[in-house]
Amino acid sequence: VNIIGINEQISTIIFLGPVADLAFSSKVTLKANRDDYVHALLCFFSCEFSKTKGRLRFSTGPADEQTHWKHTIFYLKVLAQYRIFDRFY
C-alpha cells in the first residue's frame, strides 16, 4: 500500500528485461490533507530517460510544459466528502 501526498510520487525504474516484467499493479491509499470534497482523480505521468547523452524528460502533469500527451481525469460517480487525515482506497 502506498500513501500518496499531494507532492509525492510513485516511481518505477525500468531498464532492460522481459516484457512480462512490465505488467504490475499497486494498491494506493490517498490521505486527505484538508477538509474538502472529492469528485475526481487526476492521473498523469512523468518520464525521464537517464541512459541518454542529454537529459530527456517529459510529463503530462498539470504544472509542467504542455505536450501532445494528456493527463487523465477520472470522475467519481458519487461526490465524496473527506475530513483532514481521512484515507480513501
Side-chain angles (χ1 to χ4, degrees):
V1 174
N2 296 313
I3 299 173
I4 306 301
I6 195 159
N7 293 317
E8 297 179 50
Q9 61 184 348
I10 299 174
S11 297
T12 302
I13 300 171
I14 301 171
F15 289 111
L16 299 175
V19 173
D21 288 350
L22 299 178
F24 65 92
S25 64
S26 177
K27 293 182 180 182
V28 176
T29 301
L30 302 174
K31 182 175 72 172
N33 60 3
R34 65 178 185 223
D35 296 346
D36 212 334
Y37 293 89
V38 176
H39 62 90
L41 299 174
L42 173 67
C43 298
F44 62 90
F45 69 90
S46 298
C47 184
E48 182 171 328
F49 299 96
S50 60
K51 299 294 183 182
T52 58
K53 286 187 177 186
R55 181 176 182 238
L56 180 58
R57 179 187 182 279
F58 64 91
S59 174
T60 62
D64 289 305
E65 185 177 336
Q66 187 174 358
T67 68
H68 68 283
W69 296 92
K70 304 293 181 205
H71 51 264
T72 301
I73 300 174
F74 294 99
Y75 291 100
L76 304 177
K77 290 182 179 182
V78 177
L79 180 67
Q81 182 178 9
Y82 289 94
R83 302 196 53 80
I84 192 165
F85 306 123
D86 281 353
R87 295 172 193 252
F88 53 106
Y89 309 89

